[in-house]
Structures are given as structure tokens and as C-alpha cells.
Amino acid sequence: MTVINYEIFRRGFPQRFVNLRSQVILMPVFAKIKSNLTVGICIFLLLLSLLVGCFPCAAQDACYSRLDQDTLTIGNQFIERKFIWNKGNVITYSLSDKKGGKVWFNKLGNPDFYIQAGNAPQNGHYEVLTRNEDAIHIAEQQTVISFSIGKLDIRRVYRINPQSASIACETYLRGRLAGIAGVQAINAADQKNIEFAEDMKVNGSTAILDQLKLDGFHWQVKAVEFFDVTDWNNNLVQENKFIPYRKKSYRGNLLFAHNQEKDAGFFFLKEAPGTATQLAYGGQDFTTEFGHFAINGLGLNASDVRQDEWRKAYTVVLGIYSGQEINQLQALRGYQKTIRKNELQRDEMVMMNTWGDRSQDAKVNEKFSLLELDAAAKLGITHFQIDDGWQQGKSPNSALTKGSFTDIWNNPRYWKPDTVKYPNGFGPIVKRGKALGIEICLWFNPSIQHDYADWEKDASAMAELYRMYGIRTFKIDGLSIPNKQSEINLTKMFNKLLSETENQAVFNLDATAGRRGGYHLFTEYGNIFLENRYTDWQNYYPYWTLRNLWQLSKYVPPEKLQIEFLNKWRNADKYGSDPFAPSSYTFEYLFAITMAAQPLAWFEGTGLPKEALQLGASIAKYKKVQHDFHQGTILPIGEEPSGKSWTGFQSIHKDRGYFIVFRENTLDGTGILETWLPEKVKIQLKPLLGNGKPMIQTTGRKGALKVTLPAINDFVMYSYTILK
């Protein structure tokens, strides 16, 4: 029989669950009925739980979780995943796409999670929690399963919300973990042929975070690998498309699997840094063999696991869809948009940061900041960020005197405003900013010593700036995450500042160098400062920037990226007669490249010529639609930017949306761009920015749209409505 156990095992639970509301705990046969509960009460509560059948995320939502005999079911209006309980180490039974009417049955008899062999699971527990909505998160339901394998305790937390056709799974380990073997690469040419059955059995990773084995041989699969460290990389996305055959391993954070027979499929998302910087990386993230798909790599070594503390592995997200690539991408984006709310007043920004003009900290002071604010106001800037140089401590990047990030807290005033540069603190700067409608933001470099052991001091330093001046947006630079303890301490730092600011803090997470979070870790904390590009070194080419954003936007919400535009008049002579030099484009065009993202004016406003300030009119128009544009699903359209392409972006709402179309340096005055609209749909287009004309048009093959622009290096931003 099944009994009820009221033990809430929160002691030692990760901090993020402290404020969760426990709804009920069901426990299978493994527990004894406690002496203070009568059998009658147990039976009554059991029947009540079976009658209710689910525990909703909120009254109006349909998230549910139930354990009935040996079957665990988790779902919402879009997705349902059923498991065989298996004493807590669950085995997927089926996966359902409720809107698409598809049901997949798992053919694998092994548990979804595999880490070490030799012991059966014990002490299985089940609990349902609700995380209530707050300023960052929408409400979600969490199904918590815990069990033991030998001397290792395992906790799996399945998270689901009412808005997404996906279920995320977090894994926590405690106790003692035997060494995890990696995967030794095997060249297929060194193996025997198909007649030797035993040789066809290629070993996979000994640590599997999730897996499914589904019917069918006709799978089209794509693994997507991401690269940050953008000071060194200018090709940030790599797609690997294949038909799964014999067991083989692949790299990446994303795996899309599309079944040709059912015209449907699923995706796995690994919320981890890019493959080049993952912790405890075994050389691969996914293994496939016909219809068997597994996601590997804990992000933990055996030495990372503690006896008395839960340690978190990388999170895995499983999402489903029916239809074609657009449905696949919308399913992914539907999950990504629930990670952090995009609030108009907190998260939308047109930021100016003066570091792009290479003065470093030489000009930074009160007078300079006030002058910059006046220039920023004429441009329509919403956020002014003072980069390195505002603080009393000196960094290694100082142009005035070479400092250090070593032992930052040996100087307790390191993160106080420089009393020479800012004799009145930030008071006059913040006051002037408020008068102009500009929020003041700062740069910050956490103390790296001893795996960020001073995380609490770092968080307190930023919290003090918030309390004194209302500064809540910080560019986080200089990160290096070489081990799990560093990741844990940085997470504590972020969470502490969110707590101190009532979830109003925003972090611009620099992705330009070092071992950092990439595009899929820490995404609940703010946006990503993507790249340093400078005219001084001729590594700023507008179409390069556009290409990086265009490629990333298919798999990463572009509204979570800060994308730069520079002063095109600086260093124009260094580019010579290069046809793709920044000076070949209008200033408005350079800004337009950034509109799908969070625009970053990477220059000194006081260094602009007078004609540049005319951009303020265009920025004012953009800000009126910025938030609505970003609320849609933004995907790339047209050709990949090459400097000579017709390219752009589409923001998709239900029966309306936006287009940004770029005519690069091509003689073709009319471009035909494939979009994400259906074929033969009549749409009305109204120009908002740029040089396009209003029109009504019926889409062609693959949603093709015909756009005419009068000159090379030109653009138009349209709003569109599908006509009934």
C-alpha cells in the first residue's frame, strides 16, 4: 500500500528552495506509518490525493504532479511525462505532446539518470513544491524526488510552469561518488564491421543526466555548439546536422531531434557554459544511437561531491513540439522566456558605456560623467554605465597606474567611489541622471581569490551602492570559473544582491574572456555583454556584429544580449578604402543592427560630431516599440549577414509582429527574404524606422517577403499584421 509521510526534508536543501511552499508529500511503500497517524487518516488522505489528482501551480493553471502506485506523472496543458517510479530512480514511460496529439513511448528499461552501477535505489521520497511568482520568476511547480544509491544521495527536481511545453530537471548530489569516467574517442575506421555485433557496442559516458529511447529510424538531429570568449572568437555558433546511426557522441548545449514519420520531436537543452569551458568536461554532451538519445556531463567531479552539502549538476531541459523548425524554435524560446521576466523598467535599456573609445579610466571623473550624461540625453540613452575607474582600487586595466585584482579586500575601500574623481560620491551624477531620465550603472569585478570566498563582501559592496544611490545594474567582469566551488560562490553573490535589492538588480555578464557562464548559465540574472570591438584595432565591422547576433538569435533570446554600436567617425583613416568599414554606414544603420538586442552605445558621447546626435530621433521612435518587439519570439530571417546579403530579424506575436530588414552592400535593390510566416498569408506592413514604404503583401514560398530599399547599406523596421 501507499502511505503518507509528513517529513519535510528541507534541512541542507539548496538556498533557492528555502521560500518554497510545501503542498504535500507522498511516499511509496518504503516508509512506515508514523505512530501518531492512524491508518484511517492515511487512507483518507490517500483517497483525497487520488481524487484531486494534481497540485496546480496557480488556481488558473494546469500544472500537475501525482504519484499513483508505481506511476509518476508530471504535466501541464502542453506536455506530460510519465515515469515508472523504480524506488525513486525513475524510468520514463511516455512523453506526450498534448496540443499536437502525439505520444512517445520510451523503449529503454534503464533509469533516466545513471551515475554509477552496482546498487539498487533506496529511500525514495516524493514531494511537490510551488515557487510563487516574484519580480523575476513566474510561478512554477517543482516535483522533488530523492533516493540513494549506495553511499550517494541524489535529489532530482523537475520544474514545470504553465507557459512552456518543457520540463526542466535539476540534479543534486550528496555523499560519496565514485570516480566518473569520461569517454575515450574512438575512430570509426579502427572498429570492425557490422558483422561483429560485440564490436558495435560502443561505451558511452558513465554519467547520464537524462535519456530517451523512442521508436523509429527516421530521425533528423541537430546538435548546436556555442562559443563565447569573444575577444578570441568571432564565430559563435556551430550546427552539426546528422542522422543518428551507431552510437556516437556530440558536443553542444542543444540537441534537436525531429522524427520524419510523426513530423514532431523534442529538444534537450543543457544549461551549462559552452563546451570549451564546462566543468569536469568529458569531451561530449550527447550520445545518440538510432532512436536512443542521452545527455551527459554532470559538471561535477567526484571530488566536488560533499558528505554534508548538496551540490548541483548542470540542469537539463526537455521540451516537445509538433510541426516544423518554427515550432521547434518556439518551443525552445517558450522555455527560455520563462527563466527571467523581461520587465520594461528594469530590463529594457539603451545603454552607453564610454570604454569603447579606449580612454579606459583616464577621463572618468565627476565632470566627465556629467558631460557624458548631457550627451547621452540628446541621444535618448536610458542607462549610463561608468566602467572601470570609478572605484578607489586600481585594476590592471587602469591607464593611470597599473593596479591589481589580487587580494581586493586587503583594501576595504576598493569598491568605494574614488574621492579624487568623485569628491561628492555619486550623488550629483545620480541626481543629474534622474533629471534627464537616465539610470546610472557601474562596472564591477568580483574578488577571485580562493574560489570567490569573499562573495559576501562583494555582494555587500554592490548592495551599499544600491542603498546609497539606487544603483542596481552592474557589469560583472573578470570572472573565471575553474571549479564547482567558484560557481557556487558566484551564485551566492548574485542571489544575495537580488535579495538585498528585492529582485531589482540586473547583471550585465561579460562574455568576452575567461571561463564564464556562456549563453545558458546564470541567465536568470540579467543580460550578456557579448563582445569588445574597437575601431582602434579595426576589429569592429558592422556586418560581423550583425552576423554574430543573427546566428545567436536562433537559439538565444537576443533581448538577453547587449550588442554594441561604435563611433564610426573615430579612426576612419585606419580602415583605408575598406568597403565594409564603419564609415561606409549611416549612424542610424549601426544602431539598427543592435535593435533586436539591448543596444549598447560603446563610445564617449562627448566625442561624437554634432551630426551624430540626430540619432536621438530614431532612438526615441525605437524606445516606443522596444519592449513589445522584445516580448515576441525574435528569430533571424533572410540570408546570413555577409556584408552583401539581404538579412534581418522577425519578432513573432500571435497574428502580428515586427520585421527588421537590412540591405547590405548588394546591387540588388529588392530582396526576397524567407520568414517564419506561413505561405500565402496576406500581411500589412507599416514602416516604423528606416526607409521602407507601407505595403500589403502575400507571402510566398517559405513565407518569403519582398522588400525594396533605395540604397546599399540601408534598413527598414516594419510592424506587420496578418489580415483575415
Side-chain angles (χ1 to χ4, degrees), residues 119-140:
N119 294 285
Q122 296 177 332
N123 305 319
H125 287 73
Y126 166 87
E127 182 180 11
V128 179
L129 306 173
T130 295
R131 181 171 66 185
N132 294 325
E133 184 174 3
D134 60 31
I136 291 178
H137 309 100
I138 67 171
E140 72 175 16

Side-chain angles (χ1 to χ4, degrees), residues 577-591:
S577 59
D578 191 328
F580 302 110
S583 60
S584 300
Y585 304 82
T586 66
F587 202 38
E588 185 184 27
Y589 184 99
L590 300 187
F591 171 74

Side-chain angles (χ1 to χ4, degrees), residues 390-451:
W390 63 265
Q391 74 280 9
Q392 291 189 28
K394 293 294 181 282
S395 85
N397 298 317
S398 173
L400 302 173
T401 178
K402 291 302 178 184
S404 172
F405 291 138
T406 302
D407 297 322
I408 281 177
W409 286 104
N410 284 348
N411 175 5
R413 301 191 63 80
Y414 195 103
W415 293 116
K416 303 286 185 182
D418 189 308
T419 54
V420 175
K421 294 181 176 184
Y422 295 95
N424 303 298
F426 289 131
I429 311 300
V430 171
K431 182 179 180 180
R432 183 60 177 159
K434 285 182 178 179
L436 297 172
I438 300 174
E439 185 171 326
I440 305 304
C441 315
L442 294 175
W443 168 92
F444 193 88
N445 195 110
S447 180
I448 198 171
Q449 269 66 46
H450 308 297
D451 305 324

Side-chain angles (χ1 to χ4, degrees), residues 128-281:
V128 179
L129 306 173
T130 295
R131 181 171 66 185
N132 294 325
E133 184 174 3
D134 60 31
I136 291 178
H137 309 100
I138 67 171
E140 72 175 16
Q141 184 185 81
Q142 302 181 351
T143 299
V144 183
I145 300 169
S146 67
F147 58 96
S148 301
I149 296 178
K151 296 182 179 180
L152 180 67
D153 297 329
I154 300 158
R155 177 169 287 146
R156 304 267 278 172
V157 181
Y158 291 88
R159 300 189 287 106
I160 188 169
N161 66 68
Q163 299 180 17
S164 173
S166 60
I167 302 173
C169 182
E170 299 176 350
T171 300
Y172 299 84
L173 304 179
R174 183 180 66 184
R176 192 167 71 186
L177 173 64
I180 305 171
V183 178
Q184 184 176 357
I186 299 175
N187 192 315
D190 295 329
Q191 296 175 213
K192 296 179 183 178
N193 64 32
I194 200 168
E195 303 298 331
F196 292 82
E198 287 303 312
D199 284 56
M200 298 305 295
K201 297 178 181 178
V202 181
N203 291 326
S205 170
T206 58
I208 298 175
L209 284 165
D210 204 353
Q211 59 182 325
L212 293 168
K213 186 175 183 180
L214 307 178
D215 276 324
F217 288 89
H218 305 290
W219 292 90
Q220 300 282 337
V221 181
K222 177 168 60 177
V224 187
E225 187 174 5
F226 298 86
F227 303 88
D228 54 354
V229 193
T230 56
D231 280 354
W232 294 91
N233 291 319
N234 201 37
N235 297 281
L236 310 182
V237 179
Q238 182 171 310
E239 299 175 343
N240 186 358
K241 298 179 181 179
F242 58 94
I243 294 175
Y245 190 55
R246 299 295 176 183
K247 186 172 285 186
K248 192 173 180 181
S249 299
Y250 300 90
R251 295 163 62 102
N253 290 84
L254 271 169
L255 185 84
F256 295 101
H258 182 81
N259 184 270
Q260 296 285 74
E261 295 171 285
K262 291 192 175 185
D263 203 21
F266 68 92
F267 69 83
F268 274 138
L269 167 64
K270 185 177 184 181
E271 293 190 326
T275 53
T277 52
Q278 283 184 35
L279 300 178
Y281 193 58

Side-chain angles (χ1 to χ4, degrees), residues 40-111:
I41 293 175
C42 291
I43 294 173
F44 170 76
L45 291 173
L46 173 60
L47 291 174
L48 180 62
S49 70
L50 295 177
L51 285 171
V52 172
C54 68
F55 309 104
C57 289
Q60 72 275 20
D61 301 323
C63 295
Y64 53 89
S65 175
R66 56 178 174 262
L67 180 60
D68 184 5
Q69 300 298 323
D70 67 341
T71 303
L72 170 64
T73 307
I74 302 172
N76 63 14
Q77 61 177 318
F78 304 109
I79 184 174
E80 181 177 274
R81 191 173 184 181
K82 287 187 176 180
F83 306 86
I84 300 169
W85 176 246
N86 189 39
K87 300 182 180 180
N89 196 9
V90 296
I91 303 168
T92 293
Y93 174 75
S94 64
L95 180 66
S96 298
D97 176 358
K98 296 171 74 173
K99 295 294 185 181
K102 306 288 195 309
V103 180
W104 307 87
F105 292 97
N106 185 27
K107 299 169 64 179
L108 196 66
N110 298 329

Side-chain angles (χ1 to χ4, degrees), residues 312-465:
K312 184 175 179 290
Y314 290 137
T315 299
V316 175
V317 184
L318 172 64
I320 49 88
Y321 71 94
S322 290
Q324 296 301 311
E325 187 178 25
I326 177 60
N327 308 100
Q328 181 185 87
L329 296 175
Q330 285 181 316
L332 170 65
R333 193 61 51 85
Y335 168 75
Q336 291 171 321
K337 280 183 170 290
T338 66
I339 296 173
R340 177 186 173 93
K341 291 181 183 178
N342 184 30
E343 296 289 350
L344 173 61
Q345 299 301 324
R346 182 190 61 199
D347 298 299
E348 297 288 5
M349 56 189 66
V350 180
M351 178 180 283
M352 187 168 82
N353 182 310
T354 64
W355 195 269
D357 277 5
R358 299 301 306 155
S359 295
Q360 297 167 276
D361 63 343
K363 293 184 179 180
V364 172
N365 60 33
E366 181 180 297
K367 181 180 179 180
F368 175 73
S369 298
L370 291 171
L371 291 172
E372 285 293 301
L373 281 171
D374 289 340
K378 294 174 184 177
L379 284 171
I381 297 297
T382 63
H383 292 66
F384 174 63
Q385 190 167 66
I386 306 173
D387 211 294
D388 186 3
W390 63 265
Q391 74 280 9
Q392 291 189 28
K394 293 294 181 282
S395 85
N397 298 317
S398 173
L400 302 173
T401 178
K402 291 302 178 184
S404 172
F405 291 138
T406 302
D407 297 322
I408 281 177
W409 286 104
N410 284 348
N411 175 5
R413 301 191 63 80
Y414 195 103
W415 293 116
K416 303 286 185 182
D418 189 308
T419 54
V420 175
K421 294 181 176 184
Y422 295 95
N424 303 298
F426 289 131
I429 311 300
V430 171
K431 182 179 180 180
R432 183 60 177 159
K434 285 182 178 179
L436 297 172
I438 300 174
E439 185 171 326
I440 305 304
C441 315
L442 294 175
W443 168 92
F444 193 88
N445 195 110
S447 180
I448 198 171
Q449 269 66 46
H450 308 297
D451 305 324
Y452 299 95
D454 289 321
W455 65 267
E456 195 163 10
K457 294 179 182 177
D458 291 334
S460 295
M462 289 183 279
E464 183 178 356
L465 291 162

